[in-house]
């Protein structure tokens, strides 16, 4: 059983609880018996080598793995006191938004990219309400000032960093409580990466943010808590500062110092 007594999980309310979570792709097991408390209104980083299970774990949180026929999930995964498997997937994804590795705006206008989710979920009674939702989301995505005069322009015409911030705005437009980010900066240049990291700092005030990152420097900069995965196992979880300066497990130290990875 993983010790989660240290770190923020001991004192704050968990937004998501994983207990004995295992994931299989056909006969191959990708994640082994993970116990993890994800704290609300904070940033949790998932780090580890490629193929260690961190993205697979992330995709369980909004049932993205449901789209893979060979995938089976066992164990307990609780969001707001209810098993994630019991939620309607469309409703669940309105509450647990996701931003992917590569910016993927729809081939629609900037406005329609952000308005898409609120329209599907009937969040606005009229155009004025929808306008307010779109503006609010674009402000939360820290891109409003750059696009407010060209909302009718196609979203795919923006720069890579702007596209990723548009995708974040699209994800927050449905007013989710949790925001999942799978390597959100890996396709971006250093300036755009810094803008996204600054945005993550702001988003933690209103959202529970979970980020998969290959960059340990990024994890150290943006997160309060860090989980280290290796070969499908959650090796260690705790406050980011402790994980990076005084880890309990020698495998964590080996990864952080570059001896494994």
């Amino acid at each position: 059983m993983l010790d989660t007594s240290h770190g923020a999980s001991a004192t704050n309310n968990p937004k998501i609880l994983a207990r004995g979570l295992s994931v299989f792709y056909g006969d191959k097991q990708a994640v082994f018996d993970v116990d993890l408390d994800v704290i609300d209104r904070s940033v949790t980083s998932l780090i580890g080598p490629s193929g260690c299970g961190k993205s697979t774990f992330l995709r369980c949180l909004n049932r993205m793995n449901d789209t893979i026929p060979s995938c089976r999930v066992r164990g307990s995964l609780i969001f707001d006191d209810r098993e994630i498997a019991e939620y309607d997937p469309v409703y669940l994804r309105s509450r647990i938004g996701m931003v992917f590795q590569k910016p993927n705006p729809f081939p629609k206008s900037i406005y329609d990219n952000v308005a898409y989710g609120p329209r599907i979920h009937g969040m606005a009674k009229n155009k004025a309400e929808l306008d307010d939702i779109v503006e609010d989301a674009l402000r939360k995505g820290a891109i409003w000032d750059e696009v407010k005069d060209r909302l009718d322009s196609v979203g795919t015409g923006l720069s890579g960093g702007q596209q990723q911030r548009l995708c974040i705005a699209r994800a927050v437009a449905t007013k989710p409580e949790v925001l999942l980010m799978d390597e959100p900066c890996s396709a971006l240049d250093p300036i755009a990466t810094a803008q996204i990291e600054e945005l993550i700092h702001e988003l933690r005030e209103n959202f529970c943010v979970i980020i998969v990152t290959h960059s340990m420097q990024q994890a150290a900069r943006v997160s309060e808590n860090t989980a280290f995965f290796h070969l499908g196992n959650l090796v260690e979880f705790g406050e980011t500062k402790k994980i990076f300066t005084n880890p309990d497990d020698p495998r964590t130290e080996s990864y952080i110092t570059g001896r494994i990875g």
Side-chain angles (χ1 to χ4, degrees), residues 18-37:
R19 292 293 180 267
L21 190 79
S22 295
V23 185
F24 302 80
Y25 294 114
D27 295 329
K28 182 180 184 296
Q29 189 167 357
V31 172
F32 296 80
D33 295 319
V34 167
D35 292 349
L36 181 63
D37 294 8

Side-chain angles (χ1 to χ4, degrees), residues 3-209:
D3 174 19
T4 56
S5 60
H6 57 278
S9 57
T11 55
N12 294 294
N13 291 328
K15 190 70 176 171
I16 294 174
L17 281 168
R19 292 293 180 267
L21 190 79
S22 295
V23 185
F24 302 80
Y25 294 114
D27 295 329
K28 182 180 184 296
Q29 189 167 357
V31 172
F32 296 80
D33 295 319
V34 167
D35 292 349
L36 181 63
D37 294 8
V38 181
I39 308 308
D40 199 8
R41 305 215 173 190
S42 68
V43 181
T44 298
S45 287
L46 311 181
I47 64 168
S50 294
C52 68
K54 55 191 188 296
S55 289
T56 295
F57 174 80
L58 191 79
R59 290 167 64 89
C60 289
L61 302 181
N62 69 344
R63 294 183 56 181
M64 286 295 289
N65 287 327
D66 288 16
T67 62
I68 303 170
S70 66
C71 185
R72 291 176 293 118
V73 179
R74 289 184 187 161
S76 182
L77 199 53
I78 295 170
F79 167 58
D80 273 0
D81 302 320
R82 185 178 168 194
E83 287 284 350
I84 278 177
E86 297 174 2
Y87 285 94
D88 171 73
V90 175
Y91 172 71
L92 179 70
R93 289 169 197 149
S94 73
R95 296 183 65 191
I96 303 180
M98 189 158 190
V99 177
F100 295 91
Q101 185 170 1
K102 193 174 178 187
N104 61 342
F106 302 138
K108 300 172 177 281
S109 69
I110 292 167
Y111 183 97
D112 284 336
N113 261 274
V114 181
Y116 181 80
R119 279 195 184 114
I120 284 178
H121 295 286
M123 292 173 60
K125 296 187 184 74
N126 52 50
K127 176 72 162 54
E129 283 190 11
L130 191 59
D131 288 350
D132 288 343
I133 290 170
V134 169
E135 179 177 342
D136 181 62
L138 288 168
R139 286 187 184 278
K140 283 192 170 78
I143 193 173
W144 169 253
D145 289 337
E146 294 163 58
V147 302
K148 62 184 178 184
D149 297 323
R150 48 176 176 146
L151 294 177
D152 292 333
S153 301
V154 68
T156 50
L158 297 170
S159 71
Q162 288 174 322
Q163 285 186 27
Q164 194 64 303
R165 281 182 285 144
L166 175 63
C167 291
I168 292 170
R170 185 178 69 195
V172 304
T174 57
K175 296 186 168 47
E177 294 151 59
V178 179
L179 200 55
L180 310 178
M181 296 184 162
D182 194 358
E183 298 273 2
C185 302
S186 64
L188 304 180
D189 61 55
I191 292 173
T193 295
Q195 290 173 320
I196 298 293
E197 289 183 2
E198 190 175 331
L199 175 54
I200 291 169
H201 272 292
E202 295 168 10
L203 290 170
R204 82 178 72 200
E205 295 177 13
N206 297 300
F207 302 94
C208 169
V209 181

